Amino acid sequence: MPGRFRLAPLLLVVATMGAAPALAQVQRAPREFRGLFGGSRAAPGQSRTSLSLTFTAMGGYDDAVLGSQGATPTPTPQQMTASGYNGLGLAELLFRHGTEDRHVEASGLGAVNVYSVANAGTSKNVRGGLRAQTRLARRSTLRASVGAGYQDYFTLAAVPIVLGPDQTAPPPTSADFAVADRRLVDLRAGADLDHGWNRSHSTALRYTFDRVDYDAAPPAAGGIRYLYLGDSWRQRGAVEHTVAFSRQASLLGSYSYSVSEMDREDGTIRPMDEQRIEVTARYEKRVSPRRTLVLEAGAGGSLMDTVDDATRQPVEYWSTIGHALARIDIGRSWSAQALYQRGYELRQGFNEPFFTDQVRATLGGFIGRRFDLVFQGGYATGVLGLASTRAGGNPYRSRDGSVQARFALASSAALVASYVRYYYEFDHPDLLPAGFARRNDRQVARVGLTFWLPLLGSWRQPGGTAAPAAGMEN
């Protein structure tokens, strides 16, 4: 795919600096109106089977799409430029069977983006996954998942294209935040085992594995190129123990150990192991039958064990980490949430971690039965590299904001519109990988239609249902 470079690397700091994990941690209460945007729920304990197809078609305008450096691109461009129109088509097939306690889910997704800007061709993405959950005993639950994907572009993460207040964040599939034409295959798997010892104590064991393999680096061509991406793999194990003092208040202690390896450009491998320990206090209260208040705060430490990339000698880095979360359900269908996170993040394609402090806020809900709005915003600051606790590194800053609206034309069709604006900047362009822009200021606006077609049944699992404090389930 010579000569092509798609869309600015926003997500390095806008979403990958903890934004994607933040979205994954959102626990929204079921705030939707029955029958709109995806079917109805099964009664507790009732077994249901469903097969549904979701299709989305959107068009819009992108600002700062390409790096315009002419025939002789500089190794470290200062910013991203060029604007144009784009079209998006996305289809997802979803199968579910079982009850809320015991179910299996299989999904497949394909997306195509087409751009009017010269040297920005069509981008493609195909992804599939399998997820299952079962109760092993009265107080034990086992969850497992596996997924794989292929795409012809490299992206550090993604922001959902369509996100309503009754939806959880889909996997990162959007090409809007690609930084290079690089074919890649990724594999992710994980398993969780939760056990409640009694009404006050519960323990969770968690394991995750992910691997990314890229194609060979492309030859030099016009436009900005992200020349090198190293294959990587990581596995992580964690144990968590929760003590519930009441139905509202609980204290959680967690320890995790991760092992990672990333390929260097010279063919050698850089190992990177991390140990984390954190203590979290949580308060959750139902303020009405349909509304819940959640407050959470945690603090701890991270020990990074790796080798210096220059001297190749073993080094260790210690840093404080933490997070804070607040969420409140407002009225019948609105919900507001704010999240703060601090810590290391390992990102694909880099053999240096990012240390970041970031804040994100979300507000969403329905206006009447047919119209919903979602507002999101975030700010992040930190350092690229392990020198975050010492002099050096490459400081960065980012901010972003978005608004997404949906109007139901029928129970299975809706008009969708979205607007996103974001900005990032690094202080030292000479410390960035070749072809990576120092700063970017970009706007994206889209409008289109989304359809949900129930091919078999119409069951939707009640994801995000407010649960009692851990250890107090029964």
Side-chain angles (χ1 to χ4, degrees):
M1 296 180 291
R4 295 166 50 198
F5 178 89
R6 275 187 290 281
L7 303 192
L10 150 76
L11 223 45
L12 172 64
V13 286
V14 171
T16 65
M17 301 301 102
L23 286 170
Q25 292 169 6
V26 172
Q27 299 290 325
R28 293 188 179 89
R31 314 295 289 169
E32 80 289 350
F33 286 94
R34 182 178 177 86
L36 291 181
F37 307 129
S40 58
R41 296 202 183 105
Q46 180 181 3
S47 180
R48 296 284 295 273
T49 300
S50 69
L51 178 65
S52 63
L53 174 66
T54 302
F55 176 75
T56 301
M58 301 182 74
Y61 187 81
D62 288 352
D63 200 9
V65 177
L66 296 176
S68 299
Q69 298 293 322
T72 56
T74 60
T76 54
Q78 294 299 302
Q79 62 185 6
M80 312 303 291
T81 59
S83 303
Y85 299 100
N86 71 82
L88 165 67
L90 186 149
E92 181 179 16
L93 192 66
L94 182 63
F95 171 82
R96 290 189 178 107
H97 173 74
T99 65
E100 180 180 349
D101 289 340
R102 293 181 173 88
H103 60 263
V104 62
E105 176 181 301
S107 62
L109 182 145
V112 177
N113 286 260
V114 181
Y115 308 96
S116 65
V117 178
N119 297 323
T122 301
S123 62
K124 298 172 290 296
N125 183 298
V126 179
R127 188 169 299 274
L130 181 66
R131 185 170 63 93
Q133 173 180 310
T134 184
R135 276 195 177 273
L136 301 179
R138 184 167 176 259
R139 296 182 180 273
S140 298
T141 301
L142 176 65
R143 304 177 185 89
S145 63
V146 62
Y150 164 84
Q151 60 194 47
D152 59 1
Y153 55 87
F154 168 58
T155 179
L156 296 165
V159 170
I161 299 168
V162 179
L163 180 64
D166 60 322
Q167 295 177 303
T168 55
T173 57
S174 174
D176 294 346
F177 309 104
V179 296
D181 291 330
R182 295 298 299 276
R183 290 182 292 270
L184 66 93
V185 176
D186 65 87
L187 172 66
R188 292 177 173 85
D192 296 344
L193 176 62
D194 297 287
H195 179 74
W197 301 100
N198 52 45
R199 294 179 61 87
S200 300
H201 293 267
S202 64
T203 301
L205 302 177
R206 312 194 188 282
Y207 171 80
T208 57
F209 172 85
D210 62 83
R211 181 181 180 89
V212 179
D213 294 306
Y214 302 94
D215 66 344
I224 299 173
R225 307 293 296 176
Y226 194 63
L227 295 180
Y228 178 75
L229 295 170
D231 297 346
S232 65
W233 65 265
R234 173 173 53 179
Q235 54 182 337
R236 176 180 179 271
V239 57
E240 303 172 355
H241 186 79
T242 302
V243 179
F245 301 105
S246 66
R247 296 189 64 86
Q248 292 81 33
S250 61
L251 189 68
L252 182 147
S254 65
Y255 169 82
S256 67
Y257 183 79
S258 63
V259 179
S260 308
E261 287 188 354
M262 289 152 282
D263 293 349
R264 294 190 180 96
E265 192 170 1
D266 60 6
T268 61
I269 294 175
R270 183 181 191 183
M272 192 169 295
D273 303 341
E274 183 187 17
Q275 299 183 68
R276 291 193 183 199
I277 186 169
E278 189 172 10
V279 177
T280 299
R282 180 181 176 88
Y283 177 81
E284 180 173 342
K285 181 180 180 180
R286 287 188 179 274
V287 295
S288 77
R290 293 185 59 86
R291 294 187 296 135
T292 303
L293 169 68
V294 176
L295 299 174
E296 182 176 298
S302 169
L303 177 63
M304 188 74 70
D305 185 6
T306 182
V307 297
D308 187 273
D309 217 30
T311 65
R312 306 295 171 93
Q313 297 299 311
V315 291
E316 290 185 347
Y317 294 90
W318 167 264
S319 181
T320 57
I321 62 173
H323 77 280
L325 169 72
R327 192 192 76 225
I328 179 66
D329 297 330
I330 306 169
R332 183 180 179 186
S333 67
W334 282 77
S335 181
Q337 175 173 291
L339 173 71
Y340 165 78
Q341 286 184 309
R342 172 184 173 87
Y344 285 113
E345 296 288 346
L346 300 177
R347 297 300 166 187
Q348 298 171 3
F350 287 84
N351 56 28
E352 287 279 0
F354 294 85
F355 190 86
T356 182
D357 288 274
Q358 68 99 19
V359 179
R360 293 201 65 83
T362 302
L363 173 66
F366 280 79
I367 301 176
R369 291 180 55 84
R370 292 180 176 270
F371 185 72
D372 70 12
L373 282 171
V374 177
F375 300 91
Q376 297 188 61
Y379 176 80
T381 182
V383 177
L384 167 60
L386 283 169
S388 59
T389 56
R390 305 179 181 183
N394 193 354
Y396 75 89
R397 293 157 300 281
S398 74
R399 56 184 181 269
D400 71 283
S402 68
V403 57
Q404 298 167 90
R406 208 170 40 162
F407 180 79
L409 304 175
S411 62
S412 59
L415 179 68
V416 182
S418 65
Y419 171 80
V420 180
R421 182 161 188 174
Y422 48 82
Y423 173 86
Y424 78 79
E425 181 178 15
F426 285 87
D427 287 355
H428 304 305
D430 55 306
L431 299 180
L432 293 173
F436 198 94
R438 173 186 178 182
R439 67 170 65 92
N440 185 35
D441 189 352
R442 181 177 174 216
Q443 302 179 75
V444 182
R446 279 197 179 97
V447 64
L449 293 170
T450 182
F451 302 90
W452 173 77
L453 304 177
L455 304 178
L456 174 65
S458 60
W459 172 47
R460 175 180 44 184
Q461 183 190 353
T465 302
M472 298 294 293
E473 295 87 347
N474 206 346

